Amino acid sequence: MAESTTISNTENLMKYMKLDQRGAVLAEYIWIDGTNGVRTKTKTLSKPVKDYKELPEWNFDGSSTGQAPGDNSDVYIRPVAIFPDPFRGGDNILVMTETWDPDGTPNKFNYRHECERLMEANAKHEPWFGLEQEYTILSADGWPYGWPKGGYPAPQGPYYCGVGTGKVFCRDIVEAHYKACLYAGIKISGINAEVMPSQWEFQVGPCEGIELGDHLWVARYLLYRVAEEFGAKITIDPKPIKGDWNGTGLHTNVSTAEMRTEGGMKAIEDACKKLGERNEEHILVYGEGNAERMTGEHETASIDKFSYGVANRGASIRIPRQCAKEGKGYFEDRRPASNGDPYRITGIIMETIFGGMEDLDLSKAEK
């Protein structure tokens, strides 16, 4: 179990968690702040709900989250999806929301709204996404958990998908997160230990359209909350440790109806060519600090050189060998950083492959 410096009296807490809520339901509203982080607040509801459309709009102080000035600080959060709450259980729920300004326009950091418009415009292509979220578990002092204090473990090699003491760390957090996601109905498809010790990955998908972003953001929230209870920290910095250590990415698997039919390899290759023409634009929205990760080493391509190939983990885009053999399937965009916003990533991919909308340009690094 991870070491913890957090005071946590779980046995005492459970006495209160079991108390009758007398018909009330707790709804945990989740939103994305101005620093690409997760914020939440809880609302008491008078009865259970089955659909997010039954939930009221709410608001928060945007001046405290980097989303509004102090003299006009109200930002509104509109529910867009609900999930069972694995921490409180019962009829209690998690609520994914979008952020909106008082004038009725999307907040500057509301990337979901634009993404959903693109997904709806291209719904006939039935886009499927599967994202591989890598992350690193840190101890309270900010150093990777299980590493010698101020020092380094043995070189990379035995840690990827490893088993046994000294090869993996904090499996308890990883397993707890996995179960929490399953309870919440997140479409989590797997987990594995990664190349660097204390580095892990979970996969979400396949999901169609906007659902992927909703599920991945809630999965991130669950990861932060689980780690909080174990007294550990989670970082999705794309290069948490400098030097000869793997970075962390958010590999993005993409498939459309055209790619999944016989002869779909042509659609895959056409998409790769289009993505290559906008490499710079994609990099701008694929996460912060990605240049330190995408060096051409440690299973990455160079950030300024686009390439694609079959089974090549050193390429910008990898086409799985099985897909090449069958002549259809999907491709994996290996460029996104681990801290990338899935709404921005999947949105710009749709924009590049199928064309944008007149009033949208997802290649902008900032609005």
Side-chain angles (χ1 to χ4, degrees), residues 126-322:
E126 300 175 16
W128 293 359
F129 300 98
L131 269 62
E132 306 168 24
Q133 177 69 70
E134 295 179 336
Y135 61 95
T136 306
I137 303 176
L138 309 177
S139 58
D141 61 6
W143 198 238
Y145 187 84
W147 287 35
K149 299 298 182 183
Y152 299 87
Q156 295 180 158
Y159 311 112
Y160 172 69
C161 296
V163 177
T165 301
K167 295 182 179 179
V168 293
F169 303 94
C170 296
R171 192 185 293 273
D172 49 358
I173 293 175
V174 177
E175 292 287 340
H177 173 248
Y178 201 170
K179 288 294 186 73
C181 284
L182 291 172
Y183 180 93
I186 300 298
K187 291 186 177 179
I188 185 170
S189 49
I191 58 171
N192 60 268
E194 268 300 335
V195 177
M196 188 180 80
S198 288
Q199 183 186 64
W200 289 83
E201 173 185 299
F202 66 88
Q203 303 92 34
V204 172
C207 297
E208 186 168 346
I210 197 67
E211 182 183 53
L212 186 283
D214 294 343
H215 281 237
L216 186 68
W217 270 112
V218 175
R220 282 179 175 176
Y221 160 75
L222 293 173
L223 179 61
Y224 296 138
R225 277 284 282 106
V226 167
E228 176 186 318
E229 295 191 5
F230 284 85
K233 298 179 180 179
I234 300 296
T235 179
I236 52 175
D237 186 314
K239 190 67 175 180
I241 301 297
K242 314 307 178 188
D244 194 18
W245 302 97
N246 273 36
T248 54
L250 186 61
H251 299 157
T252 301
N253 300 280
V254 183
S255 180
T256 64
E258 296 84 354
M259 296 175 190
R260 296 189 292 273
T261 58
E262 292 301 321
M265 184 54 65
K266 183 180 185 306
I268 293 174
E269 291 176 344
D270 287 346
C272 290
K273 293 173 183 176
K274 290 179 179 178
L275 291 166
E277 293 172 356
R278 299 187 77 202
N279 182 59
E280 184 176 345
E281 290 91 332
H282 279 247
I283 292 299
L284 284 174
V285 299
Y286 271 9
E288 297 295 325
N290 212 7
E292 293 189 39
R293 166 181 163 265
M294 292 190 65
T295 61
E297 300 180 349
H298 302 109
E299 301 181 73
T300 69
S302 294
I303 195 166
D304 58 351
K305 295 179 181 178
F306 181 85
S307 62
Y308 70 93
V310 175
N312 184 357
R313 283 180 163 77
S316 308
I317 292 181
R318 178 181 69 93
I319 300 172
R321 189 172 300 282
Q322 187 65 27

Side-chain angles (χ1 to χ4, degrees), residues 43-110:
K43 175 179 281 292
T44 302
L45 307 176
S46 61
K47 61 181 180 180
V49 297
K50 300 297 183 184
D51 191 289
Y52 75 87
K53 295 177 182 178
E54 301 175 49
L55 293 167
E57 184 179 89
W58 207 8
N59 63 77
F60 65 90
D61 171 15
S63 69
S64 296
T65 63
Q67 290 168 281
D71 61 356
N72 188 20
S73 62
D74 285 358
V75 176
Y76 295 86
I77 38 181
R78 298 180 182 175
V80 295
I82 60 173
F83 303 84
D85 186 339
F87 303 110
R88 292 169 171 146
D91 292 323
N92 302 304
I93 56 174
L94 306 176
V95 184
M96 189 62 203
T97 69
E98 284 188 7
T99 52
W100 289 75
D101 289 335
D103 63 2
T105 60
N107 183 260
K108 177 181 178 180
F109 301 98
N110 179 357

Side-chain angles (χ1 to χ4, degrees), residues 350-366:
M350 286 292 95
E351 181 181 77
T352 297
I353 295 176
F354 297 116
M357 303 174 73
E358 289 186 3
D359 59 337
L360 289 183
D361 182 0
L362 298 190
S363 67
K364 293 179 181 178
E366 293 183 356

